[in-house]
Amino acid sequence: MQWKTLDSAPSLPPLYWRAALKRKITGRTLPEHGLRCRVSIDPKRVAAYRKVCGFADSPILPATYPHILAFGLQMQLLTDKSFPFPLLGLIHLSNRIRIHRPLGGVSDLSVAVHAQNLKPHAKGATFDLITTVEDSLGLLWEAESRMLCRGVKLEGAAEDIAQSPPDQVSELTRWKAPVDIGRRYARVSGDYNPIHLSALTAKLFGFPQAIAHGLWNKAHTVAALGEHLPSANIEIDVEFRKPVRLPGEVTLLSSAAGSSGELRLKGAGDIEHMVGKWRPIA
């Protein structure tokens, strides 16, 4: 893996322009390089993120917050000329984060992103977007987001690695996903994908109404689990099933508190939006 080190986190508006212009699949190999840069934590941005995602105040960063620190780098990688798939239209299938040490007392961090593991899928091809966050002591946090690009033809058999839905779970809480949550999450995350912003812009991409960001669903779930989860040496793995249409209401079911457990996020009519589990890092 070759690394390009940037002086600062990329500016998002030009990257959105680049994403809007690229609509075609231009290849079948992932770029050989990754991107990295140093970032600093802005307490005001963290506070705004907590409010939108339902996290309580704490000296420790929300477990999902490093996604926000990495978003500009991810956008730069996924809109680079060497990246074969158009960013608009990618589908986020699953997300796993690993928290190696508590995210407390951190201010200056090094973030790196790269793509790997291109594989055939029944509907196209999947790849993993890998993000790592380091502090002065080494690896602090990492994430793996599996993305699907429809319409890519790859040699080989598609594998099905879906999680089985949890069974030993009971209702923990429920919350509303208001009609404007896609716009509010976009303001704190930088992720202005049109499918999340309004019914009008979502219809351009074949959705009858706007849908919540998958990572907002995950963040709100982690916030709701709160005290049930250890603050470090934990991996939280979720699979996104059916999108949460806005406005909507969801119910979180989970197993008892402990170092490992399972969760399920469901909507009206028992629609399964997300399933997941947490456990100590192997």
Side-chain angles (χ1 to χ4, degrees):
M1 176 66 59
Q2 297 169 309
W3 291 98
K4 292 183 185 172
T5 303
L6 308 184
D7 295 334
S8 61
S11 167
L12 289 174
L15 300 180
Y16 272 108
W17 188 239
R18 225 192 273 174
L21 294 176
K22 179 167 182 174
R23 293 301 175 90
K24 291 199 169 76
I25 294 165
T26 55
R28 288 188 294 186
T29 54
L30 296 173
E32 295 280 307
H33 71 273
L35 300 174
R36 58 189 177 193
C37 74
R38 293 200 74 74
V39 297
S40 35
I41 309 283
D42 176 348
K44 282 188 181 155
R45 290 191 64 185
V46 178
Y49 177 84
R50 283 186 194 283
K51 194 171 175 186
V52 169
C53 298
F55 285 97
D57 278 341
S58 163
I60 292 179
L61 280 183
T64 48
Y65 190 72
H67 283 299
I68 308 305
L69 300 174
F71 185 69
L73 275 185
Q74 292 172 347
M75 281 280 290
Q76 176 122 346
L77 184 76
L78 297 178
T79 57
D80 191 276
K81 285 190 177 69
S82 66
F83 200 81
F85 312 136
L87 174 61
L88 289 175
L90 288 181
I91 297 161
H92 197 171
L93 296 180
S94 64
N95 173 269
R96 175 167 59 203
I97 61 174
R98 290 190 182 103
I99 306 159
H100 292 274
R101 286 177 283 116
L103 304 176
V106 290
S107 55
D108 198 33
L109 297 168
S110 176
V111 179
V113 303
H114 71 278
Q116 65 181 38
N117 204 22
L118 186 63
K119 288 192 169 168
H121 182 276
K123 293 179 179 172
T126 60
F127 66 91
D128 293 336
L129 183 62
I130 307 294
T131 305
T132 56
V133 175
E134 296 187 353
D135 64 4
S136 56
L137 297 174
L139 184 63
L140 183 64
W141 183 98
E142 57 188 326
E144 185 182 291
S145 286
R146 179 148 296 165
M147 312 298 287
L148 167 67
C149 181
R150 292 179 193 264
V152 184
K153 302 271 192 293
L154 292 180
E155 296 294 316
E159 55 180 22
D160 185 20
I161 45 171
Q163 283 189 33
S164 50
D167 45 12
Q168 301 294 316
V169 291
S170 54
E171 182 174 332
L172 179 69
T173 183
R174 55 182 65 196
W175 61 83
K176 286 187 163 47
V179 73
D180 67 342
I181 197 62
R183 297 190 291 278
R184 286 170 53 204
Y185 185 78
R187 283 198 287 275
V188 299
S189 67
D191 185 352
Y192 284 89
N193 187 325
I195 62 176
H196 305 304
L197 303 181
S198 70
L200 199 64
T201 54
K203 279 177 182 145
L204 298 172
F205 292 85
F207 290 91
Q209 60 212 91
I211 62 172
H213 293 73
L215 286 177
W216 179 77
N217 294 332
K218 180 170 186 177
H220 210 301
T221 296
V222 171
L225 286 166
E227 301 301 309
H228 294 256
L229 300 178
S231 64
N233 187 38
I234 180 177
E235 110 177 2
I236 308 168
D237 195 358
V238 301
E239 226 170 73
F240 303 113
R241 299 279 171 92
K242 293 270 193 291
V244 175
R245 293 183 181 187
L246 302 177
E249 185 178 13
V250 296
T251 302
L252 174 63
L253 301 100
S254 93
S255 53
S259 60
S260 58
E262 296 184 302
L263 63 93
R264 184 170 169 232
L265 194 68
K266 64 173 197 170
D270 222 27
I271 290 177
E272 197 152 72
H273 295 304
M274 191 173 81
V275 298
K277 53 184 182 274
W278 69 90
R279 60 189 170 207
I281 296 169

